[in-house]
Amino acid sequence: MTDSQPDRLGRLEARLEQTERRLAAAEDQLALWRIVAGYGPAVDSGSAEITAEMWTEEGVYDTYPVVLNGRDALRGMVNGERHQALIHSGAAHLMGLPHIVVDGDRAVVTNYSQLVLNAPDQNGYRIWRTGSNRWEFIRTDEGWKVTHRWNRQLDGTDEGRDILARAVDPEA
């Protein structure tokens, strides 16, 4: 028995729809990955505008004890004296591989980060801090944008571990 033309077209349409959904999901994951991966090069090159544009206009970057509210604050951080001193003495913000969960037009990305500093007195580099990060995103007309990022140090306190636990255990 052979398939009828309408049955065959229906199955092809269903496969095409499934493929389009899978491609859209992969594109979302790649876009979010690029934003997180781009953070280090943006801040380490002193590209304040590129850094700020990763966030929504009112986006928040909470890196305890400092909380930056909005793009102007993010630009100010990158252009600020402390950050400029870091990058001009040799600094690298290294982003770990992201754990990405997309839910419609919202997404959560969790990753590790390290800030590595040039240490000429040690003939090399030293890790200044290692943290966990929770990035919350929203899809906008301009693409994915950060609405909130939390960065907590992995220093033995609960906060850093709690960010990681939420990525792998939604009940955490």
Side-chain angles (χ1 to χ4, degrees):
M1 178 185 275
T2 62
D3 292 331
S4 70
Q5 189 69 13
D7 289 344
R8 187 168 187 224
L9 286 176
R11 285 196 310 277
L12 286 173
E13 286 176 3
R15 286 178 60 198
L16 180 58
E17 287 175 12
Q18 179 187 38
T19 302
E20 288 173 341
R21 282 192 303 274
R22 292 175 64 199
L23 178 59
E27 288 174 336
D28 284 341
Q29 297 250 340
L30 183 58
L32 293 161
W33 190 327
R34 283 182 172 162
I35 294 166
V36 172
Y39 177 80
V43 296
D44 292 336
S45 65
S47 301
E49 190 59 35
I50 291 169
T51 303
E53 287 297 318
M54 293 176 176
W55 271 258
T56 60
E57 188 63 46
E58 58 284 334
V60 176
Y61 179 21
D62 180 342
T63 180
Y64 180 81
V66 175
V67 178
L68 304 169
N69 292 293
R71 287 181 178 159
D72 286 342
L74 287 155
R75 285 183 199 96
M77 181 267 302
V78 174
N79 290 326
E81 187 176 315
R82 181 174 186 201
H83 184 78
Q84 289 295 311
L86 280 175
I87 64 176
H88 284 94
S89 65
H93 289 77
L94 305 177
M95 297 289 126
L97 291 172
H99 177 275
I100 302 171
V101 177
V102 178
D103 184 10
D105 290 336
R106 296 196 171 274
V108 174
V109 176
T110 305
N111 73 311
Y112 292 97
S113 62
Q114 288 189 322
L115 180 51
V116 178
L117 300 177
N118 184 23
D121 58 322
Q122 298 171 17
N123 294 320
Y125 293 84
R126 68 180 175 91
I127 297 172
W128 185 28
R129 59 184 191 210
T130 300
S132 60
N133 300 270
R134 177 181 173 92
W135 306 69
E136 293 185 355
F137 289 86
I138 190 167
R139 187 190 318 266
T140 71
D141 291 340
E142 294 82 37
W144 288 101
K145 298 289 180 181
V146 181
T147 59
H148 205 125
R149 176 185 173 195
W150 291 265
N151 172 272
R152 293 296 183 267
Q153 297 313 301
L154 292 168
D155 57 5
T157 57
D158 291 341
E159 286 186 282
R161 287 190 316 275
D162 289 347
I163 286 174
L164 300 174
R166 288 178 69 189
V168 295
D169 181 1
E171 296 180 21

